[in-house]
Amino acid sequence: MANTILVGAQWGDEGKGKIIDVLTEQADLVVRTQGGNNAGHTVHIKGQKYILHLVPSGILRKNKVCVIGNGVVVDPVSLVQEIEGLRKLGIRIDRNLVLSETAHLVFPYHRELDAQRETFKGKNKIGTTKRGIGPAYGDKAARTGLRVLDLINPERFKQQLELKIKENNEILKAFGAQPLSFKQVHAEYRAAGDYLKPFVANTVILLHQAVRRGDGILFEGAQGTFLDIDHGTYPFVTSSNTTAGGACTGSGVPPHRMDRVVGVMKAYTTRVGEGPLPTENAEIADMLHAMGREFGATTGRPRRCGWFDSIATRHASMVNGIDELAVTNVDGLDSVETIKVCIGYRDGAKRYDYVPNDIEALSRCVPIYAEFPGWRTPTHNARKWKDLPAKTRSYLKALAELSDAKLAIASVGPGREQTIII
Ligand code: GDP
Ligand code: IMO
Ligand code: MG
C-alpha cells in the first residue's frame, strides 16, 4: 500500500476508525501521530464494537504492527487499561504494539488542570474531553514535560515526578483544588511503566526501517481539521496538529515518503464541545439522536449536528492536500426529504467562500445552502457503487466536487462490510 495519511476533514468523529480498519487490510503498519486518549475511534466487526483511544485501530487485524508515535501524548495508566480491555475481548497485543520512547506523558495534574481551567472559563469553556491534553502539550511546548523514556527509568522518574507534583500542587491549590499525593501517583505510574516497558522502542528508527523495506504505512489521524491547533477554529480546538503535517512531525517519517492523503468526512456535520458550527441544525440533530446515533465515543456527550459544510471540507482539502475522500454515515440521511449543503457563508453584506479565521466573524456566519433531493431508501445493504440510489450517487459526487477531492469510499453502516470502494 502507498504510505497513506488519513485525516478527519471536519470536527472529529468522522468515522476515521472504521475507515482505518478497512484500509489496514492493505497496510503493514498503522501509526498514531498526535492527540491522546481524547480520541475515540469506533470499529464494528462481526457485531462486536471496539472503541480505541490510544491504541491504533489497526490492532484489530492480524499481523499488523501498530505504533504510538512520538507526537502522541500518552496517559500510561489509561493505556494499560485499554490494552487489558482489548485483550479481554480476545485481541492479541504483544509485539504488534510499539510505543515511542519520546512520546510525552499525561499526568493526573494535567487532567485536574484541564478541568479547573474549564470551570474557570465558565461560559467561554472549550468543552474539552478533560483528559489533560491541553496541559500535557503545554508542558511539552514549555520543555517541562516527562516522556516515556523517563517513565521507564525508575530513579530519574522519581526525582522528576516529585518536582512536578510539588510545582503543580501549588497551581492546584491556587484554583482551590485538592493537591495530589506524590506517593500515590508515583506508585500508579511506576506500575504502568513496568507494564509498558516491553512495548517501548525508538519508533523513528523502526519506521525508517519499514520505509526502507517498502512496507505500507497508514497514519491514523485523530480529531479533525477544524480542531487543529493552527488551522482549526481557535481557541475551540485541541492542542495538536490534526492536519496532514502532524503525521510527519509526530512520527519522524518525512513528507517525501508520504504518497497519499485520505480525508474522512460524514455525509453531514457533527461537532462535540463548544465553538462555531455554521450549519448546526436542531432538526437533523434530533433525527440522528432519536436513531441512537451521534453520542461521543470518549465522553458519551450528544454531538451537535448540522448539514454538510462544503466550505469547511474544501478548506480541509486545501490544508491537508486531500487526494481521496471517504464519506461515511451516508445511511444517516436515508429518511431526509430535502438535503441541504452549505456552499457559502454570509456575514451581513459580506459573503465568504472560505472559512474566516476570526472566530467572531465565523460565529456570525449564516450558511448559504444548495438543496438536494433525498433518496428516501435504505442504503445500509449497498455494497457496490451501482447498488446506491441514483440520488445518493449524485449527492456524493456533488460533495466530492464541492470539496475538491476524488471520491474513493462511501460508507453505509458501521460494519466493516458496509463499505463501498469506488
Ligand atoms: P472517529 O473518531 O472518526 O473514529 O469516529 P467515531 O468512532 O468517534 O464516530 C463515528 C461513529 O459513526 C461511530 O459510532 C461509528 O461506528 C459510526 N459509523 C462510521 N461509519 C458509519 C456509517 O457509514 N454508517 C453508520 N450508521 N455509522 C457509521
Ligand atoms: P476523534 O479522534 C471529536 C474536541 C473536544 C473539545 C476540543 C478540545 O475521536 O475524532 P481536548 O480534550 O482535545 O482538549 O478537547 O476538541 N475533541 C474531539 N472531538 N473527536 C475527537 O477525537 C476529539 N478530541 C477532542 O470535544 O471540543
Ligand atoms: Mg471519535
Side-chain angles (χ1 to χ4, degrees):
M1 188 184 77
N3 290 342
T4 301
I5 302 175
L6 181 138
V7 293
Q10 295 161 321
W11 277 269
D13 301 330
E14 296 91 347
K16 297 177 295 296
K18 174 189 160 156
I19 303 300
I20 285 284
D21 172 63
V22 170
L23 296 181
T24 298
E25 197 177 7
Q26 314 292 330
D28 300 298
L29 296 98
V30 182
V31 190
R32 271 284 304 273
T33 57
Q34 43 72 227
N37 62 348
N38 50 348
H41 296 177
T42 317
V43 183
H44 287 254
I45 304 166
K46 294 187 186 130
Q48 177 66 52
K49 177 175 167 176
Y50 303 88
I51 300 181
L52 290 308
H53 297 287
L54 276 165
V55 175
S57 306
I59 204 79
L60 304 175
R61 291 204 186 250
K62 289 202 177 86
N63 304 322
K64 310 290 175 182
V65 174
C66 290
V67 176
I68 300 175
N70 57 275
V72 177
V73 288
V74 177
D75 179 333
V77 175
S78 149
L79 177 57
V80 170
Q81 283 166 1
E82 187 174 341
I83 294 171
E84 283 296 296
L86 287 167
R87 281 178 170 164
K88 281 203 187 90
L89 292 172
I91 305 301
R92 187 198 126 214
I93 302 189
D94 41 57
R95 292 176 67 87
N96 55 344
L97 181 69
V98 188
L99 171 61
S100 166
E101 57 191 14
T102 56
H104 275 252
L105 301 171
V106 181
F107 286 95
Y109 48 81
H110 292 132
R111 284 199 304 273
E112 193 55 46
L113 282 173
D114 193 355
Q116 292 296 333
R117 285 179 189 161
E118 284 284 272
T119 308
F120 190 75
K121 283 196 182 109
K123 68 173 178 35
N124 296 320
K125 71 176 198 287
I126 297 167
T128 73
T129 60
K130 299 205 174 91
R131 296 297 189 270
I133 304 300
Y137 275 115
D139 267 357
K140 176 178 176 176
R143 297 150 296 173
T144 56
L146 270 61
R147 302 187 292 177
V148 170
L149 273 171
D150 304 312
L151 179 68
I152 59 171
N153 179 332
E155 268 316 301
R156 188 162 75 199
F157 183 69
K158 190 172 176 217
Q159 283 172 14
Q160 290 176 324
L161 183 69
E162 208 158 13
L163 275 175
K164 290 299 289 181
I165 297 267
K166 212 168 156 191
E167 177 195 349
N168 282 283
N169 275 349
E170 292 304 314
I171 306 171
L172 289 176
K173 269 191 253 164
F175 273 114
Q178 282 295 317
L180 293 160
S181 145
F182 162 74
K183 223 173 132 188
Q184 197 182 332
V185 177
H186 180 253
E188 255 189 356
Y189 273 63
R190 276 302 309 133
D194 287 342
Y195 183 103
L196 294 173
K197 197 173 174 189
F199 299 103
V200 177
N202 182 328
T203 53
V204 174
I205 301 292
L206 179 144
L207 288 169
H208 278 265
Q209 286 165 346
V211 167
R212 263 202 298 272
R213 277 196 304 271
D215 287 355
I217 310 177
L218 180 56
F219 296 86
E220 174 173 354
Q223 290 81 49
T225 299
F226 295 96
L227 294 174
D228 184 284
I229 183 86
D230 286 285
H231 300 290
T233 52
Y234 193 91
F236 301 100
V237 294
T238 190
S239 300
S240 64
N241 282 117
T242 62
T243 45
C248 295
T249 53
S251 68
V253 178
H256 69 293
R257 295 287 176 232
M258 303 296 187
D259 302 308
R260 137 176 109 145
V261 180
V262 174
V264 185
M265 54 198 216
K266 280 177 174 149
Y268 46 92
T269 306
T270 65
R271 169 169 208 168
V272 59
E274 308 303 318
L277 187 65
T279 62
E280 188 163 18
N281 177 283
E283 240 170 273
I284 180 166
D286 290 348
M287 175 193 83
L288 291 162
H289 291 150
M291 289 156 89
R293 299 161 68 132
E294 302 309 344
F295 293 93
T298 296
T299 58
R301 291 177 288 177
R303 294 177 183 145
R304 299 157 62 196
C305 304
W307 299 112
F308 187 87
D309 184 344
S310 75
I311 297 302
T313 55
R314 193 164 65 234
H315 193 91
S317 284
M318 184 173 73
V319 295
N320 291 293
I322 295 174
D323 303 296
E324 296 179 15
L325 288 176
V327 183
T328 69
N329 286 274
V330 175
D331 55 308
L333 297 177
D334 282 353
S335 62
V336 180
E337 202 171 314
T338 304
I339 303 171
K340 291 184 184 178
V341 170
C342 172
I343 52 162
Y345 300 147
R346 201 181 291 288
D347 172 19
K350 189 164 170 57
R351 186 182 162 145
Y352 288 100
D353 61 358
Y354 61 90
V355 183
N357 283 322
D358 187 296
I359 204 79
E360 283 176 15
L362 182 60
S363 303
R364 284 193 306 266
C365 278
V366 178
I368 300 164
Y369 285 120
E371 292 192 346
F372 292 80
W375 43 91
R376 310 198 82 193
T377 315
T379 54
H380 62 271
N381 287 325
R383 296 294 176 269
K384 294 196 187 79
W385 179 243
K386 65 172 176 39
D387 295 342
L388 288 171
K391 284 177 181 153
T392 317
R393 283 183 273 153
S394 304
Y395 178 68
L396 292 175
K397 275 194 208 158
L399 296 194
E401 204 166 299
L402 288 164
S403 306
D404 205 15
K406 181 176 162 278
L407 184 64
I409 296 174
S411 168
V412 293
R416 212 179 235 181
E417 69 293 349
Q418 291 173 299
T419 312
I420 299 168
I421 309 287
I422 300 151

